[in-house]
Amino acid sequence: MLLQRDNRTQRAIISVIGILAGCFLFTFGLNNFIIANRLAEGGFVGISLLGIYLYNIPLSLSFIVLNIPLLFIGWYRFGRVFIFKTIIGVVGVSVMSEFTVDLFHMGVQDKLLAALYGGVFSGIGLGIIFRFGGTTGGADIIARLVNQTLGWSMGRTMFAIDVIVITSTAFIVGKDAAMYSLVALFVAARVIDVVNEGVSNSRAMFIISDETQEIATQIQSELERGTTLLHGVGGYTGRDKQVLYVVVSRDEISRVQEICRDIDPLAFLVVNEVHDVLGEGFNPLKKPAKPKPQLEKAKN
């Protein structure tokens, strides 16, 4: 029991450190590329940027003030764990935005480069925050509330908020800057996916054939990959069929195709990209337990 409590405490500390590290990278990109070139951002950060451009209100102040009401609402609707990590993210962004203002001066004046690098740093920072279970509040909390009350998807709501904020910003910073900001948002979204899902080198293959057992045996023999046989029914013929499922590396796809071609040229193959393949032959699902030291028997 005590060991489990220690493990939970350790994971919580690591999560807080990870969220703060993500806040640092996120605000570094904001200050050095986005704000420095008067570009826009989505969500509540974008609203805070409007405060900077119009009234010179620090992001650290406006961002935390905007989030306070939502944090109280979220506390009752989503529980303490979610809101605790959200508070860490909100406070982290507010504090780090001040810390990174004078930390390095990249001096990038090309708005396209600023949008690209700003998107990369924002994406890495937000991706790390999300990976450790945190959020930066604002639009994320609103999206969850709308999802529960109206049934809209969170992605749809967050996209709508971003469009409204970017459109509003266009009247202040200009249409060109707003379009560059869309580039930054797109880059950030893709980088967030890479940080959370990784750059996949694995592919999942579904093989439908009358010779699935022989194909499976050959794959296991030549590639040393485990396979799974699934039960299926032909939609047209109504006959029972076995569907072979196997996960291979990208380089092994052609070899699987050759095996199918040699055994059953009429086989039907579907190849899907997959992320975070965990288990034997790929990334380990968990670290192997350390062997317990053998205690020497006490001598009489």
Side-chain angles (χ1 to χ4, degrees):
M1 188 70 178
L2 182 61
L3 181 60
Q4 291 180 348
R5 187 179 303 170
D6 291 341
N7 289 337
R8 286 197 297 267
T9 303
Q10 185 179 11
R11 287 197 298 268
I13 294 173
I14 292 173
S15 295
V16 170
I17 294 174
I19 292 171
L20 293 177
C23 291
F24 172 82
L25 292 173
F26 176 56
T27 54
F28 176 83
L30 277 180
N31 282 316
N32 283 278
F33 300 107
I34 303 299
I35 297 176
N37 289 272
R38 290 181 65 84
L39 299 180
E41 259 286 349
F44 274 32
V45 173
I47 298 175
S48 297
L49 294 190
L50 291 177
I52 294 176
Y53 299 149
L54 286 175
Y55 307 109
N56 202 28
I57 301 174
L59 184 147
S60 58
L61 176 62
S62 59
F63 185 69
I64 201 166
V65 168
L66 287 170
N67 275 284
I68 286 175
L70 291 173
L71 292 175
F72 279 108
I73 296 172
W75 181 275
Y76 294 103
R77 294 296 295 270
F78 306 123
R80 291 179 295 177
V81 175
F82 169 77
I83 291 300
F84 172 74
K85 290 188 175 182
T86 301
I87 291 173
I88 297 297
V90 170
V91 174
V93 168
S94 298
V95 173
M96 293 297 179
S97 65
E98 289 294 325
F99 179 73
T100 56
V101 166
D102 298 318
L103 187 66
F104 304 116
H105 290 283
M106 306 304 292
V108 176
Q109 297 179 348
D110 186 298
K111 289 189 182 298
L112 179 58
L113 284 178
L116 293 174
Y117 282 100
V120 168
F121 274 96
S122 296
I124 293 174
L126 290 174
I128 293 174
I129 292 171
F130 296 156
R131 192 166 185 102
F132 283 96
T135 73
T136 55
D140 185 69
I141 296 178
I142 293 176
R144 288 174 183 266
L145 290 171
V146 172
N147 176 259
Q148 287 188 356
T149 55
L150 300 179
W152 291 10
S153 69
M154 291 182 59
R156 178 182 174 185
T157 304
M158 294 180 73
F159 177 74
I161 294 173
D162 288 345
V163 169
I164 293 171
V165 174
I166 294 293
T167 303
S168 303
T169 309
F171 293 102
I172 299 170
V173 300
K175 291 183 290 184
D176 289 348
M179 286 189 284
Y180 284 123
S181 300
L182 291 175
V183 173
L185 286 175
F186 176 79
V187 172
R190 297 302 302 160
V191 174
I192 288 172
D193 290 340
V194 170
V195 171
N196 280 280
E197 300 175 356
V199 180
S200 176
N201 187 43
S202 302
R203 300 293 184 269
M205 301 185 71
F206 288 92
I207 303 171
I208 302 174
S209 168
D210 291 329
E211 306 293 340
T212 50
Q213 185 62 65
E214 188 176 349
I215 294 173
T217 302
Q218 197 70 12
I219 290 174
Q220 292 166 4
S221 174
E222 292 193 20
L223 303 180
E224 296 183 350
R225 293 294 187 192
T227 60
T228 301
L229 294 175
L230 308 174
H231 175 70
V233 178
Y236 178 73
T237 63
R239 290 191 302 141
D240 290 342
K241 281 183 174 291
Q242 283 187 320
V243 180
L244 176 64
Y245 179 78
V246 60
V247 178
V248 298
S249 68
R250 188 164 45 194
D251 301 333
E252 294 170 332
I253 294 176
S254 59
R255 183 59 195 134
V256 174
Q257 291 173 340
E258 290 178 6
I259 291 173
C260 293
R261 190 180 302 115
D262 292 340
I263 297 175
D264 182 10
L266 299 179
F268 185 80
L269 280 70
V270 179
V271 182
N272 294 322
E273 183 175 335
V274 294
H275 296 282
D276 284 346
V277 181
L278 306 175
E280 186 175 354
F282 297 92
N283 296 324
L285 183 60
K286 62 180 180 179
K287 294 182 180 179
K290 294 181 179 180
K292 296 182 179 179
Q294 297 291 333
L295 298 177
E296 295 184 1
K297 294 182 178 180
K299 295 181 179 180
N300 294 326

